[in-house]
CSV table of all heavy atoms in Angstrom, one decimal:
chain,number,residue,atom,x,y,z
X,152,GLY,N,9.2,3.7,18.5
X,152,GLY,CA,9.2,2.6,17.5
X,152,GLY,C,9.6,1.3,18.2
X,152,GLY,O,10.5,1.4,19.1
X,153,VAL,N,8.9,0.3,18.0
X,153,VAL,CA,9.2,-1.0,18.6
X,153,VAL,C,9.7,-2.0,17.6
X,153,VAL,O,9.4,-1.9,16.4
X,153,VAL,CB,8.0,-1.6,19.4
X,153,VAL,CG1,7.6,-0.7,20.5
X,153,VAL,CG2,6.8,-1.8,18.5
X,154,GLN,N,10.5,-3.0,18.1
X,154,GLN,CA,11.0,-4.0,17.2
X,154,GLN,C,10.0,-5.1,17.0
X,154,GLN,O,9.6,-5.7,17.9
X,154,GLN,CB,12.3,-4.6,17.9
X,154,GLN,CG,13.1,-5.5,17.0
X,154,GLN,CD,13.7,-4.8,15.8
X,154,GLN,OE1,14.2,-3.7,15.9
X,154,GLN,NE2,13.6,-5.4,14.6
X,155,LEU,N,9.6,-5.3,15.7
X,155,LEU,CA,8.7,-6.4,15.4
X,155,LEU,C,9.4,-7.4,14.6
X,155,LEU,O,10.5,-7.1,14.1
X,155,LEU,CB,7.4,-5.8,14.6
X,155,LEU,CG,6.6,-4.8,15.3
X,155,LEU,CD1,5.4,-4.4,14.4
X,155,LEU,CD2,6.0,-5.4,16.6
X,156,GLU,N,8.8,-8.5,14.3
X,156,GLU,CA,9.6,-9.6,13.6
X,156,GLU,C,9.9,-9.2,12.2
X,156,GLU,O,10.9,-9.6,11.6
X,156,GLU,CB,8.8,-10.9,13.7
X,156,GLU,CG,7.5,-10.9,13.0
X,156,GLU,CD,6.7,-12.1,13.2
X,156,GLU,OE1,7.0,-12.9,14.1
X,156,GLU,OE2,5.8,-12.3,12.4
X,157,ASP,N,9.1,-8.2,11.6
X,157,ASP,CA,9.5,-7.7,10.3
X,157,ASP,C,10.2,-6.4,10.3
X,157,ASP,O,10.1,-5.6,9.4
X,157,ASP,CB,8.2,-7.7,9.4
X,157,ASP,CG,7.1,-6.9,10.1
X,157,ASP,OD1,7.2,-6.6,11.2
X,157,ASP,OD2,6.0,-6.7,9.4
X,158,GLY,N,10.8,-6.1,11.4
X,158,GLY,CA,11.6,-4.8,11.5
X,158,GLY,C,11.0,-3.8,12.5
X,158,GLY,O,9.9,-4.0,12.9
X,159,PRO,N,11.8,-2.8,12.7
X,159,PRO,CA,11.3,-1.8,13.7
X,159,PRO,C,10.2,-0.9,13.1
X,159,PRO,O,10.2,-0.7,11.9
X,159,PRO,CB,12.5,-0.9,14.0
X,159,PRO,CG,13.4,-1.1,12.8
X,159,PRO,CD,13.1,-2.4,12.2
X,160,THR,N,9.3,-0.4,13.9
X,160,THR,CA,8.2,0.4,13.5
X,160,THR,C,8.7,1.9,13.5
X,160,THR,O,9.6,2.2,14.3
X,160,THR,CB,6.9,0.3,14.3
X,160,THR,OG1,7.3,0.7,15.7
X,160,THR,CG2,6.4,-1.1,14.3
X,161,ALA,N,8.2,2.7,12.6
X,161,ALA,CA,8.5,4.1,12.6
X,161,ALA,C,7.9,4.8,13.8
X,161,ALA,O,7.0,4.3,14.4
X,161,ALA,CB,8.0,4.8,11.3
X,162,PRO,N,8.5,5.9,14.2
X,162,PRO,CA,7.9,6.6,15.4
X,162,PRO,C,6.4,6.9,15.1
X,162,PRO,O,6.0,7.1,14.0
X,162,PRO,CB,8.6,8.0,15.4
X,162,PRO,CG,10.0,7.6,14.7
X,162,PRO,CD,9.7,6.6,13.7
X,163,ALA,N,5.6,6.7,16.2
X,163,ALA,CA,4.2,6.9,16.2
X,163,ALA,C,3.7,8.0,17.1
X,163,ALA,O,4.4,8.4,18.0
X,163,ALA,CB,3.5,5.6,16.6
X,164,ARG,N,2.6,8.6,16.7
X,164,ARG,CA,2.0,9.6,17.7
X,164,ARG,C,1.1,8.8,18.6
X,164,ARG,O,0.3,8.0,18.2
X,164,ARG,CB,1.1,10.6,16.9
X,164,ARG,CG,1.9,11.8,16.5
X,164,ARG,CD,1.0,13.1,16.4
X,164,ARG,NE,-0.2,12.9,15.7
X,164,ARG,CZ,-0.4,13.1,14.4
X,164,ARG,NH1,0.6,13.4,13.7
X,164,ARG,NH2,-1.6,12.9,13.9
X,165,VAL,N,1.3,9.0,19.9
X,165,VAL,CA,0.6,8.2,20.9
X,165,VAL,C,0.0,9.1,22.0
X,165,VAL,O,0.8,10.0,22.5
X,165,VAL,CB,1.5,7.1,21.6
X,165,VAL,CG1,0.7,6.3,22.6
X,165,VAL,CG2,2.1,6.2,20.5
X,166,ARG,N,-1.3,9.0,22.3
X,166,ARG,CA,-1.9,9.8,23.3
X,166,ARG,C,-2.7,8.9,24.2
X,166,ARG,O,-3.4,8.0,23.7
X,166,ARG,CB,-2.9,10.8,22.6
X,166,ARG,CG,-3.3,11.9,23.5
X,166,ARG,CD,-4.1,13.0,22.7
X,166,ARG,NE,-5.4,12.5,22.2
X,166,ARG,CZ,-6.5,12.4,23.0
X,166,ARG,NH1,-6.4,12.7,24.3
X,166,ARG,NH2,-7.6,11.9,22.5
X,167,ARG,N,-2.5,9.1,25.5
X,167,ARG,CA,-3.3,8.3,26.5
X,167,ARG,C,-4.6,8.9,26.7
X,167,ARG,O,-4.7,10.1,26.8
X,167,ARG,CB,-2.5,8.2,27.8
X,167,ARG,CG,-2.0,6.8,28.1
X,167,ARG,CD,-1.3,6.8,29.4
X,167,ARG,NE,-0.3,7.8,29.5
X,167,ARG,CZ,0.9,7.6,30.1
X,167,ARG,NH1,1.1,6.4,30.6
X,167,ARG,NH2,1.8,8.5,30.2
X,168,ASP,N,-5.7,8.1,26.7
X,168,ASP,CA,-7.0,8.6,26.9
X,168,ASP,C,-7.7,7.7,28.0
X,168,ASP,O,-8.5,6.9,27.7
X,168,ASP,CB,-7.8,8.6,25.6
X,168,ASP,CG,-9.1,9.3,25.7
X,168,ASP,OD1,-9.3,9.9,26.7
X,168,ASP,OD2,-9.9,9.2,24.7
X,169,GLY,N,-7.3,7.9,29.2
X,169,GLY,CA,-7.8,7.1,30.3
X,169,GLY,C,-6.8,6.0,30.6
X,169,GLY,O,-5.7,5.9,30.0
X,170,ARG,N,-7.2,5.0,31.5
X,170,ARG,CA,-6.3,4.0,32.0
X,170,ARG,C,-6.0,3.0,30.9
X,170,ARG,O,-4.9,2.5,30.8
X,170,ARG,CB,-7.0,3.2,33.1
X,170,ARG,CG,-6.9,3.8,34.5
X,170,ARG,CD,-7.8,3.1,35.4
X,170,ARG,NE,-7.5,1.6,35.4
X,170,ARG,CZ,-6.6,1.0,36.1
X,170,ARG,NH1,-5.8,1.8,36.9
X,170,ARG,NH2,-6.4,-0.3,36.1
X,171,ASP,N,-7.0,2.7,30.0
X,171,ASP,CA,-6.7,1.5,29.1
X,171,ASP,C,-7.0,1.9,27.6
X,171,ASP,O,-7.2,1.0,26.8
X,171,ASP,CB,-7.6,0.3,29.5
X,171,ASP,CG,-9.1,0.6,29.4
X,171,ASP,OD1,-9.4,1.8,29.3
X,171,ASP,OD2,-9.9,-0.3,29.5
X,172,VAL,N,-7.0,3.2,27.3
X,172,VAL,CA,-7.3,3.6,25.9
X,172,VAL,C,-6.1,4.5,25.4
X,172,VAL,O,-5.7,5.4,26.1
X,172,VAL,CB,-8.6,4.3,25.8
X,172,VAL,CG1,-8.8,4.8,24.4
X,172,VAL,CG2,-9.8,3.4,26.2
X,173,LEU,N,-5.7,4.1,24.2
X,173,LEU,CA,-4.6,4.9,23.6
X,173,LEU,C,-5.1,5.4,22.2
X,173,LEU,O,-5.9,4.7,21.6
X,173,LEU,CB,-3.4,4.0,23.3
X,173,LEU,CG,-2.7,3.5,24.5
X,173,LEU,CD1,-1.6,2.4,24.1
X,173,LEU,CD2,-2.0,4.6,25.3
X,174,GLU,N,-4.7,6.5,21.8
X,174,GLU,CA,-4.9,6.9,20.4
X,174,GLU,C,-3.6,6.9,19.7
X,174,GLU,O,-2.6,7.6,20.2
X,174,GLU,CB,-5.5,8.4,20.4
X,174,GLU,CG,-6.9,8.4,19.8
X,174,GLU,CD,-7.4,9.8,19.7
X,174,GLU,OE1,-6.7,10.7,19.0
X,174,GLU,OE2,-8.4,10.0,20.3
X,175,ILE,N,-3.5,6.0,18.7
X,175,ILE,CA,-2.2,5.8,18.1
X,175,ILE,C,-2.3,6.2,16.6
X,175,ILE,O,-3.2,5.7,15.9
X,175,ILE,CB,-1.7,4.3,18.2
X,175,ILE,CG1,-1.6,3.9,19.7
X,175,ILE,CG2,-0.4,4.1,17.5
X,175,ILE,CD1,-1.2,2.5,19.9
Side-chain angles (χ1 to χ4, degrees):
V153 295
Q154 188 65 40
L155 299 180
E156 62 189 20
D157 51 354
T160 60
R164 269 208 315 269
V165 181
R166 193 173 71 78
R167 248 182 304 219
D168 187 8
R170 275 172 55 84
D171 64 347
V172 174
L173 298 169
E174 242 183 59
I175 301 181

